Amino acid sequence: MARAADGNYLLSCGSDKSLKLWSVSRGTLLKTYSGHGYEVLDADGSYDNGQICSCSSDKTVILWDVATGQVARKLRGHAGKVNCVQFNEEGTVILSGSIDGTVRCWDTRSRRFEAIQVLDEATDGVSSLKVAQHELLTGSVDGRVRRYDLRMGQLHVDFISSPITCVCFSQDGQCTLSSSLDSAVRLLDKSTGEMLGEYTGHKMKGYKLDCCLSSKDTHVLSCSEDGHVYCWDLVEGSLTLKLPVGKAVVQSLSFHPTETCLLTAMEGRVQVWGAEPEETDEVVLAT
Amino acid sequence: MASDSDGDEDFVSYGTPLEPLEEDEPRKKPVPLHEQTVKDEKGRFQRFHGAFTGGFSAGYYNTVGSKEGWAPATFVSSRQQKAEKQLARPEDFMDDEDLGEHGIAPAQITTSQEFSSSRRDEAREKARAVNAQAALIPGDTLLEELIAPARSSIGVELLRKMGWKEGQGVGPRVKRKARRQQTGVGARVYSSTMPPAGSEDSEDDDDDDDFAPEDVTFAPKDVTPVDFSPRSGVRGLGYRGLDPGMALLGRAAPEHIDLFKPQSETRSRLFGAAQRGSRRGGGVAGQAFGVGALEDEDEDVYHKDSMSRYDTELGGEEPGDGLYGWTAPQQYTKRRDKSKDASYLGKILEGFTLTQRAGEEKTIFPPPTLPRDYRPVHRFHLTSVSVSRLSGVSPALAEALRTSRGHMVKEDPQQGGRHQLDSGQRRALLGEDVLQGPSSVMELLKPEDRDRLLNLRNSSNATDSRHATSSGGSTAGSTAGTMAGSMAENAARSSAVSLAVTSAVAMARSMAGSMAGSSSVSSALSGAASSSGLHQQQQEALASWRGVQSSTQSFKPFEKNPSKQARYELYLDHLRQGDRDAVEQSLDSGMTEWERSREREEFVRASILYRPSSSSLTARFTSAKHDEDDGDTVEVSRDQEGDVDDKQAAVKMKMFGKLTRETFEWHPDKLLCKRFNVPDPFPGSGLVGMPKVKRDKFSVFNFLTVTESRETTAPPKPPETGKRSRWDISDQKKKIKEEEEGDASLPACSSSEQQTADGTKSVDQKSSDKKSNGDEEEEEDEEESRPPMDLFKAIFASSSDEKSSSSEGESEEEEKTKEDEGKVEPQALNLFNISSSVTSSSTSVTVSTCANQQTVKAPVSSRTSSQEEFGPKLPPPSAALGECSTSRPPPSEERPDNKRSREKKHKNKKQHKHKKDKKKKKHKKHKHKAKQQKKSKTEASDSSEDEEDGHVSTEELLKRLKSVQSRETW
């Protein structure tokens, strides 16, 4: 499971209760953060690469200091597995979505141990969340994509009917992308909720797999259970690339924020896919 | 302010002297305010903290700790070296400043109140002065004054706020002058008491009441509380030491020693009254002193005491010094009633007067003289009780008896509890209003039908009374009994019901009177009278209990009496097996007749009251499960966000957008907004998250709206059940029947869709009950346009609904009689025949057993066969007997009523289909009629007998009943 913290580094969350920081360009392991009591499910890095937050099945969210590898804060409060975690843009708030159906907003500045706010509108587990500026996008197993607009003080609920596995903002911030367990990725207009495109062909039935948009919002990418990464043209909706990653399920993927560079995670391996020279860096992890 | 050195001793200098100015020195800059510091006496800087923290800093940065931190007391665990118990005083935690002059607990002598500038409490000072007189050293209150509180108390302040002025007393202002203590001043020569202390001079003058105008009120007098300080010295009572003030005034010793008012004169003097009759000025006087050299008189040098100086009676003298708080009332009432008092010879206590009215004399009667042989033991006479306890008589009969003879039944007011009262009586007892609506089922019927029913009832009543009296006669076994029976028969032919009964019973009673002493007669009488009412109840109990599993029986009405409860359970067992004379078998043969008859009634009544719910109630609740189509009600009410189904449909059609998008107001936390660098969208609202109203997920209203919409979609139905049970107390059996009727009428009055159910299906249905039920439900769902919901509604809808709809249904039914009557008829006839067979069945055991066999075989098939076989003509009595068991609920099945109604429904539908079949039509017609008759019959509770269509002859019935009666009463 990988996530590009900046584009130059990647974090891999392992089921060995540890969190590993890699350099993407060099493919070397920089640091291992261990302190979770169970498998690590998600991680995110702050904008200044100074802090890392991670969440785990042990119901905690941990804020790490990158340089020292020490646990800066251990945030408890969720009643179940914490599926997803993310910093806000300034790294002042950690948002974590859990299987208990709540999203909790943790303050990294103060020493309070309670969440600033608990968003318990979801009626089932929160599988994915993203933060962009003043908006919070959550996807829940109850089949709804919720967008909390802090500036407007509004909650927009989009009904997708099948459990959401992953949600994304588009880079321009006008659309939301959501993949659900009915093997479809949908691009919705953020303001109205209308569907702009639906991308099918891949297989997503039982796993919580990721999807993302390319750096220029030109393509939609999604993991698949058949070992491929599917890449559609955003406008036309046609399948442009079916990238064979391996035989197993592609669990996670992440696109470089600026370059055409893709990270995929499968069964203890994180692969880095470049665009032009068709070369693949492979980082073998021992997870 | 420099002073000269030589003048240092002469002047006192205050403050710090300024530095001497030197001419050539440059002028100093004034120290700015923030640099001015305050130092304490040890040179430490004092920082001002603020008013609430005590001003200056204290301790270690205002804490109790030290630089090393605060060390709590360490725990000493050794047994020998126990930790010393520390008694911490507040002073332990105070430093020098606290104990200093301006600290919180100054340990220095300060100015007392006397010298302080605060207001002086004069009353207190007066009191203190009084106490000072009583003190050991007279006039010595200096020590007390030193430690006097600095302020007047809050009570005094409050009083002042309320308008109290110093020198006044406390209390409401009084109209009349309330003091009369000066009356005795002139009379007593020896009294030297001064006019009351502190009394205004104007008040001193007016002794009479008339002087004070009515509208002037006076403040009450300031009464100094009586000093109860105990005498503590070794000196004698009333001893006073040398009073310096008095000694200087040179007064002589008082002539009168008032034991009860010590120090009265000194007190009055202290209160500021002028001295009257002061004779000398100067000189020291007192008991302890002799007469000085300058004194003329020396008679008091050696103290001579005389008895004239003492009071000889208590309270004889008026209080002269204002201490009249206790004795004040006595002056007011005394004068008026003197004339009355004169008539009384005895001595009247002070403060009491004779009453105006003479109290009434209490006449005391002597206790009755007991007869010599009286023994205080009460014995009950059993025979009289048994005669008077005719409680088992059915209410109608008892009523008839009472009207005819007036004294026949010693009616115990409750007649065995509230179950004997009907709803009208209970309503009268409770003082409730009459319920609106038809008071009886009879009112729902057409007038001609009602007339017909009344005729039938009258005739049946006649037969009933005849059988009752004849059975009574047979049990008595005497010729007089038969005579009574024949007479009763004669009376019955005249068809005046009440007359027949009363005459019969009167005859029986006269017989009983002739055969005095034999208790058997009385019990026979009660048996004869009650048997008619009992009989029907027994049938009822049998019908409701037969075939019920024993596990369902849980209520134990006779729990307090184990043996009785055991007998009752035995009786219930018999009932379950369908035994007709269950009561007789379960009763204890060792009991007396009277007890047995009583217990018989109780058992029957209890078995009806606590009949298993499976027969009456479960039929209502079974179908509801099937009616519930799916669970989307829960789904809908899940969230406040609209209908999920709509959204689902929209998603299916890929119409994302407005249909799937919903927007709520959502309040982010203020801190969250701050962290996100976003202005708070709802400044000032303390709300966080979504507003509560919208988050109310499982609101009652969700369900309400759902059901409402459903009910509106469901067509209005004629539910038959609940309403009549409300007005009709007596018969649950009838209710069941109505229920059946309602069930039957549901499909009958519904639209005329047809169903292809046939006889074979119903046979299948019997074999696999539940499954076929479900199938049927499905079939009905498919075929009927009406949702099955209305069955549910028929049970649970409100009574007002039912009222209108049921009457509607009645009329509907009436309209359809042309077609429907014929169809329903044979069934109801069967029902009727059952009950008649139940009453008469004990005679013919073989018949009943064969009926049972038929039950086991196939009730439905027999019915269908009966329909085909008997066709238009009515079944003969034997066949009816055979069929009775089929139409009765088959006992072994779980929901007999339900099943039966199902079957009936089927049948009705079927008959709908073959509407043109004339034979069946006619058949049904009879059935319907008989059912109505049955209804009316059950309502009339006094008749145990079924009305007749003429197929079972009255003579035959009478014969059967006679034998039954003879069996059951004995």
Side-chain angles (χ1 to χ4, degrees):
Chain A
M1 295 146 212
R3 184 176 297 277
D6 186 11
N8 299 322
Y9 305 98
L10 78 89
L11 287 162
S12 68
C13 322
S15 56
D16 60 349
K17 309 175 188 174
S18 72
L19 186 72
K20 286 185 167 65
L21 176 70
W22 306 83
S23 165
V24 174
S25 56
R26 282 178 286 174
T28 52
L29 176 65
L30 298 177
K31 207 160 184 69
T32 301
Y33 304 91
S34 51
H36 272 298
Y38 234 96
E39 55 192 0
V40 186
L41 293 178
D42 198 5
D44 190 27
S46 67
Y47 71 103
D48 56 354
N49 286 339
Q51 285 179 315
I52 297 170
C53 60
S54 65
C55 61
S56 161
S57 295
D58 61 0
K59 310 176 190 176
T60 62
V61 174
I62 292 185
L63 178 69
W64 306 89
D65 186 70
V66 172
T68 63
Q70 296 297 310
V71 176
R73 210 150 300 171
K74 202 163 187 174
L75 307 165
R76 300 166 214 270
H78 278 296
K81 282 184 187 180
V82 188
N83 278 328
C84 46
V85 70
Q86 196 161 22
F87 278 112
N88 72 335
E89 292 208 331
E90 296 174 3
T92 53
V93 177
I94 299 173
L95 296 123
S96 61
S98 162
I99 204 170
D100 64 0
T102 62
V103 172
R104 282 169 196 264
C105 312
W106 309 94
D107 193 1
T108 61
R109 294 286 174 84
S110 75
R111 294 200 66 87
R112 280 175 60 192
F113 288 102
E114 303 93 52
I116 301 173
Q117 189 173 3
V118 179
L119 316 176
D120 54 356
E121 281 77 30
T123 53
D124 208 335
V126 177
S127 57
S128 168
L129 69 85
K130 289 288 187 310
V131 184
Q133 289 169 356
H134 58 273
E135 287 175 321
L136 168 65
L137 191 69
T138 65
S140 166
V141 186
D142 60 5
R144 288 172 180 82
V145 175
R146 291 180 173 80
R147 183 164 61 87
Y148 298 89
D149 193 330
L150 268 77
R151 191 184 286 275
M152 299 299 292
Q154 280 179 329
L155 165 63
H156 305 279
V157 182
D158 285 323
F159 184 75
I160 308 282
S161 100
S162 118
I164 310 294
T165 59
C166 184
V167 289
C168 288
F169 280 112
S170 65
Q171 308 293 332
D172 61 356
Q174 297 301 312
C175 308
T176 62
L177 190 71
S178 62
S179 62
S180 54
L181 281 187
D182 55 352
S183 295
V185 179
R186 293 185 179 85
L187 186 71
L188 302 180
D189 186 75
K190 197 181 80 175
S191 54
T192 63
E194 288 166 15
M195 188 167 73
L196 302 176
E198 189 177 26
Y199 311 96
T200 54
H202 63 298
K203 187 183 170 206
M204 190 186 291
K205 293 287 183 193
Y207 290 91
K208 173 191 169 310
L209 303 182
D210 284 357
C211 65
C212 68
L213 284 160
S214 67
S215 59
K216 299 278 193 302
D217 276 346
T218 54
H219 290 84
V220 173
L221 296 102
S222 172
C223 303
S224 173
E225 291 175 15
D226 57 4
H228 290 75
V229 168
Y230 285 71
C231 182
W232 296 273
D233 188 86
L234 182 134
V235 179
E236 295 172 9
S238 59
L239 186 68
T240 56
L241 181 66
K242 192 175 169 187
L243 184 66
V245 177
K247 285 175 186 165
V249 177
V250 185
Q251 285 158 337
S252 178
L253 84 170
S254 176
F255 210 86
H256 195 280
T258 51
E259 299 162 24
T260 48
C261 180
L262 180 70
L263 294 169
T264 60
M266 173 193 281
E267 279 195 331
R269 280 187 311 176
V270 177
Q271 288 164 307
V272 184
W273 305 79
E276 288 90 30
E278 209 59 49
E279 111 272 17
T280 62
D281 294 346
E282 193 158 308
V283 185
V284 180
L285 309 175
T287 51
Chain B
M1 196 189 292
S3 58
D4 293 338
S5 59
D6 50 356
D8 270 350
E9 295 88 29
D10 303 331
F11 302 109
V12 179
S13 62
Y14 288 100
T16 333
L18 284 173
E19 299 281 325
L21 269 177
E22 294 193 15
E23 296 295 322
D24 50 348
E25 207 173 1
R27 180 169 292 182
K28 273 185 185 173
K29 271 187 185 172
V31 184
L33 197 69
H34 62 272
E35 286 181 14
Q36 292 178 359
T37 55
V38 179
K39 292 178 184 175
D40 61 3
E41 61 269 14
K42 289 171 186 164
R44 296 178 302 193
F45 286 109
Q46 277 193 326
R47 290 185 304 153
F48 189 71
H49 279 268
F52 292 111
T53 53
F56 297 102
S57 64
Y60 184 77
Y61 292 105
N62 278 336
T63 67
V64 294
S66 65
K67 197 170 187 178
E68 289 78 29
W70 178 72
T74 50
F75 175 66
V76 182
S77 69
S78 91
R79 213 182 285 169
Q80 290 82 17
Q81 188 182 348
K82 293 241 172 73
E84 289 174 18
K85 198 170 187 179
Q86 290 185 341
L87 279 176
R89 296 175 304 136
E91 286 78 7
D92 292 342
F93 302 98
M94 294 178 183
D95 57 2
D96 304 339
E97 298 166 14
D98 293 329
L99 299 172
E101 188 181 0
H102 301 292
I104 55 174
Q108 289 172 356
I109 296 176
T110 53
T111 317
S112 72
Q113 191 205 4
E114 204 169 352
F115 300 101
S116 66
S117 56
S118 68
R119 277 183 88 170
R120 303 179 58 178
D121 186 2
E122 289 180 14
R124 182 191 299 273
E125 283 171 19
K126 267 185 197 169
R128 198 188 299 138
V130 168
N131 288 336
Q133 295 301 318
L136 291 182
I137 307 165
D140 186 15
T141 56
L142 292 175
L143 287 176
E144 279 181 34
E145 281 171 10
L146 276 182
I147 53 172
R151 267 174 238 105
S152 58
S153 67
I154 187 69
V156 173
E157 294 293 331
L158 280 175
L159 278 173
R160 260 188 210 126
K161 287 266 163 67
M162 291 162 70
W164 174 77
K165 293 191 186 67
E166 294 186 15
Q168 288 181 351
V170 179
R173 294 175 75 84
V174 288
K175 261 226 175 102
R176 305 170 50 125
K177 199 163 65 70
R179 298 177 303 113
R180 210 162 316 285
Q181 59 267 60
Q182 295 302 319
T183 50
V185 168
R188 296 169 189 256
V189 258
Y190 53 87
S191 172
S192 72
T193 49
M194 296 294 112
S199 63
E200 292 76 18
D201 292 336
S202 64
E203 283 185 15
D204 282 343
D205 305 332
D206 45 10
D207 285 343
D208 51 345
D209 301 335
D210 308 331
F211 184 82
E214 284 298 309
D215 52 344
V216 175
T217 57
F218 297 96
K221 236 181 121 50
D222 189 12
V223 178
T224 311
V226 181
D227 185 20
F228 287 111
S229 62
R231 182 135 305 259
S232 54
V234 292
R235 299 178 210 93
L237 204 62
Y239 170 81
R240 283 190 301 275
L242 178 67
D243 188 349
M246 237 163 80
L248 288 175
L249 285 175
R251 270 205 56 200
E255 293 95 59
H256 175 68
I257 296 171
D258 191 354
L259 290 181
F260 308 101
K261 293 178 285 287
Q263 300 101 27
S264 62
E265 66 186 77
T266 54
R267 187 171 299 167
S268 64
R269 186 176 48 77
L270 276 167
F271 282 136
Q275 296 274 350
R276 281 185 196 171
S278 67
R279 288 159 288 186
R280 298 173 296 192
V284 177
Q287 289 172 350
F289 284 86
V291 179
L294 299 176
E295 302 298 321
D296 309 329
E297 304 168 11
D298 58 353
E299 67 262 33
D300 278 337
V301 173
Y302 305 106
H303 184 70
K304 291 185 294 242
D305 211 357
S306 70
M307 285 311 290
S308 66
R309 298 170 60 192
Y310 290 93
D311 282 339
T312 52
E313 66 184 80
L314 193 63
E317 189 189 8
E318 301 297 337
D321 56 353
L323 291 178
Y324 66 115
W326 296 351
T327 53
Q330 73 180 15
Q331 280 91 21
Y332 295 105
T333 52
K334 211 174 200 172
R335 193 177 297 162
R336 254 156 241 168
D337 310 322
K338 282 292 182 200
S339 59
K340 281 272 167 33
D341 294 351
S343 63
Y344 184 64
L345 294 178
K347 188 174 183 185
I348 299 174
L349 281 178
E350 284 294 323
F352 288 91
T353 56
L354 278 184
T355 176
Q356 252 84 354
R357 292 169 297 157
E360 62 261 48
E361 292 256 318
K362 254 187 200 168
T363 52
I364 298 171
F365 299 101
T369 53
L370 293 175
R372 258 226 233 117
D373 52 350
Y374 175 74
R375 292 173 61 208
V377 178
H378 183 64
R379 285 222 183 83
F380 293 95
H381 297 282
L382 277 179
T383 54
S384 67
V385 171
S386 71
V387 169
S388 67
R389 283 282 295 192
L390 283 172
S391 62
V393 186
S394 72
L397 190 54
E399 185 65 35
L401 292 175
R402 210 176 302 134
T403 50
S404 63
R405 294 292 298 265
H407 66 284
M408 161 59 197
V409 180
K410 281 193 187 171
E411 46 163 337
D412 40 354
Q414 284 302 310
Q415 277 284 351
R418 62 190 165 92
H419 303 300
Q420 294 272 338
L421 300 173
D422 67 350
S423 63
Q425 285 168 301
R426 278 191 305 236
R427 187 176 56 223
L429 280 178
L430 292 172
E432 285 176 343
D433 292 336
V434 182
L435 279 178
Q436 298 302 314
S439 63
S440 154
V441 195
M442 300 289 283
E443 293 182 19
L444 297 172
L445 298 176
K446 277 180 171 178
E448 54 263 32
D449 286 341
R450 211 181 302 153
D451 291 344
R452 211 172 42 193
L453 286 171
L454 280 175
N455 285 336
L456 281 170
R457 183 155 59 140
N458 285 344
S459 64
S460 73
N461 273 348
T463 55
D464 175 30
S465 68
R466 194 164 30 181
H467 111 78
T469 50
S470 61
S471 66
S474 66
T475 50
S478 68
T479 56
T482 56
M483 200 175 72
S486 64
M487 277 194 62
E489 268 179 356
N490 288 334
R493 290 211 185 90
S494 70
S495 84
V497 189
S498 62
L499 184 64
V501 176
T502 51
S503 64
V505 177
M507 190 60 87
R509 212 177 126 70
S510 65
M511 276 192 315
S514 65
M515 293 190 270
S518 71
S519 66
S520 66
V521 175
S522 68
S523 74
L525 173 67
S526 71
S530 63
S531 58
S532 58
L534 255 187
H535 220 52
Q536 197 180 4
Q537 289 179 335
Q538 279 178 5
Q539 296 166 22
E540 231 173 86
L542 186 61
S544 61
W545 276 91
R546 190 160 56 168
V548 176
Q549 275 85 10
S550 59
S551 62
T552 59
Q553 202 270 326
S554 60
F555 187 76
K556 293 180 173 155
F558 306 112
E559 209 158 17
K560 286 173 185 168
N561 193 343
S563 64
K564 195 173 182 181
Q565 175 66 30
R567 264 177 271 138
Y568 177 63
E569 277 166 11
L570 183 66
Y571 164 61
L572 287 187
D573 281 340
H574 283 305
L575 274 187
R576 281 187 205 109
Q577 290 155 15
D579 211 337
R580 296 245 157 67
D581 41 1
V583 198
E584 305 306 318
Q585 291 179 13
S586 53
L587 289 181
D588 188 7
S589 58
M591 294 192 302
T592 64
E593 280 307 318
W594 177 70
E595 282 171 323
R596 282 173 66 172
S597 68
R598 270 196 63 190
E599 204 161 276
R600 189 183 304 126
E601 292 155 19
E602 283 178 8
F603 281 1
V604 172
R605 210 177 295 143
S607 62
I608 289 171
L609 270 180
Y610 307 112
R611 78 175 69 187
S613 61
S614 58
S615 62
S616 61
L617 286 178
T618 46
R620 299 178 169 194
F621 293 107
T622 43
S623 54
K625 190 171 61 184
H626 302 285
D627 293 339
E628 205 128 13
D629 35 10
D630 53 1
D632 71 339
T633 53
V634 183
E635 202 68 30
V636 169
S637 58
R638 255 281 169 72
D639 214 333
Q640 190 67 6
E641 43 172 286
D643 196 3
V644 176
D645 286 342
D646 292 351
K647 289 185 192 167
Q648 201 88 43
V651 167
K652 263 181 198 149
M653 293 189 303
K654 306 201 170 173
M655 291 174 65
F656 289 92
K658 276 181 183 168
L659 290 175
T660 58
R661 159 67 61 102
E662 261 179 297
T663 301
F664 302 114
E665 190 180 309
W666 175 71
H667 294 244
D669 195 278
K670 211 183 280 180
L671 183 59
L672 197 64
C673 290
K674 206 168 156 188
R675 292 276 182 262
F676 271 82
N677 274 338
V678 162
D680 193 349
F682 304 101
S685 89
L687 203 62
V688 169
M690 288 176 65
K692 281 291 178 199
V693 184
K694 290 186 178 173
R695 274 172 52 186
D696 200 6
K697 283 177 185 170
F698 291 101
S699 165
V700 181
F701 296 104
N702 289 339
F703 294 103
L704 280 184
T705 52
V706 170
T707 51
E708 247 175 28
S709 64
R710 285 194 163 200
E711 281 185 356
T712 48
T713 55
K717 281 311 300 165
E720 282 286 323
T721 52
K723 181 200 66 183
R724 278 173 212 156
S725 65
R726 193 162 160 190
W727 286 300
D728 197 346
I729 41 132
S730 62
D731 258 346
Q732 294 221 341
K733 183 181 173 185
K734 183 187 62 195
K735 207 194 301 172
I736 301 166
K737 219 165 289 169
E738 283 172 6
E739 209 170 322
E740 294 168 10
E741 208 173 38
D743 281 354
S745 68
L746 280 187
C749 58
S750 71
S751 59
S752 64
E753 321 117 76
Q754 304 306 319
Q755 197 189 17
T756 57
D758 48 4
T760 59
K761 171 140 181 68
S762 56
V763 171
D764 287 346
Q765 193 183 358
K766 187 227 164 199
S767 62
S768 62
D769 186 20
K770 188 153 182 152
K771 182 169 164 284
S772 64
N773 254 358
D775 288 347
E776 272 177 23
E777 281 300 328
E778 287 174 8
E779 263 185 16
E780 283 173 12
D781 285 355
E782 290 165 13
E783 288 164 9
E784 289 182 353
S785 66
R786 172 191 309 125
M789 185 70 184
D790 50 26
L791 247 184
F792 178 81
K793 199 196 157 202
I795 295 169
F796 286 106
S798 67
S799 61
S800 63
D801 256 358
E802 283 174 307
K803 191 169 138 192
S804 59
S805 54
S806 69
S807 60
E808 190 180 312
E810 285 280 340
S811 61
E812 229 177 314
E813 218 173 359
E814 292 294 331
E815 286 168 13
K816 294 205 175 188
T817 38
K818 294 294 177 288
E819 321 162 351
D820 288 342
E821 256 183 357
K823 294 170 200 164
V824 196
E825 193 77 22
Q827 169 83 12
L829 192 62
N830 290 345
L831 283 177
F832 154 67
N833 277 338
I834 301 151
S835 47
S836 73
S837 74
V838 171
T839 55
S840 60
S841 60
S842 57
T843 58
S844 57
V845 183
T846 55
V847 174
S848 67
T849 50
C850 88
N852 284 339
Q853 280 173 0
Q854 273 186 344
T855 319
V856 173
K857 243 194 291 172
V860 183
S861 64
S862 75
R863 183 187 300 149
T864 52
S865 70
S866 77
Q867 281 171 8
E868 288 156 13
E869 253 183 53
F870 302 129
K873 64 174 174 157
L874 289 162
S878 61
L881 282 178
E883 264 193 346
C884 69
S885 53
T886 69
S887 56
R888 270 287 109 186
S892 61
E893 270 156 18
E894 199 180 273
R895 298 187 287 262
D897 284 346
N898 186 29
K899 190 197 165 210
R900 195 153 25 110
S901 67
R902 282 277 164 259
E903 288 169 5
K904 220 182 287 175
K905 215 183 267 183
H906 269 277
K907 205 164 63 182
N908 284 335
K909 272 173 200 154
K910 190 171 140 195
Q911 255 116 32
H912 257 294
K913 192 177 177 183
H914 311 292
K915 212 182 280 178
K916 287 146 198 163
D917 194 348
K918 297 294 177 187
K919 290 164 90 177
K920 283 187 179 165
K921 208 169 168 186
K922 202 171 170 187
H923 194 65
K924 281 270 174 182
K925 188 171 181 175
H926 285 283
K927 192 176 176 181
H928 185 75
K929 205 193 294 174
K931 187 182 266 180
Q932 283 189 341
Q933 288 160 2
K934 174 73 179 173
K935 207 196 291 176
S936 69
K937 175 213 66 181
T938 49
E939 179 203 330
S941 62
D942 53 349
S943 72
S944 75
E945 194 36 58
D946 308 308
E947 54 281 352
E948 265 317 308
D949 274 11
H951 291 278
V952 183
S953 67
T954 51
E955 284 80 14
E956 192 189 351
L957 256 181
L958 190 64
K959 211 191 301 173
R960 286 188 207 157
L961 284 168
K962 267 180 196 171
S963 55
V964 173
Q965 286 297 325
S966 59
R967 281 185 62 134
E968 283 190 356
T969 45
W970 289 103

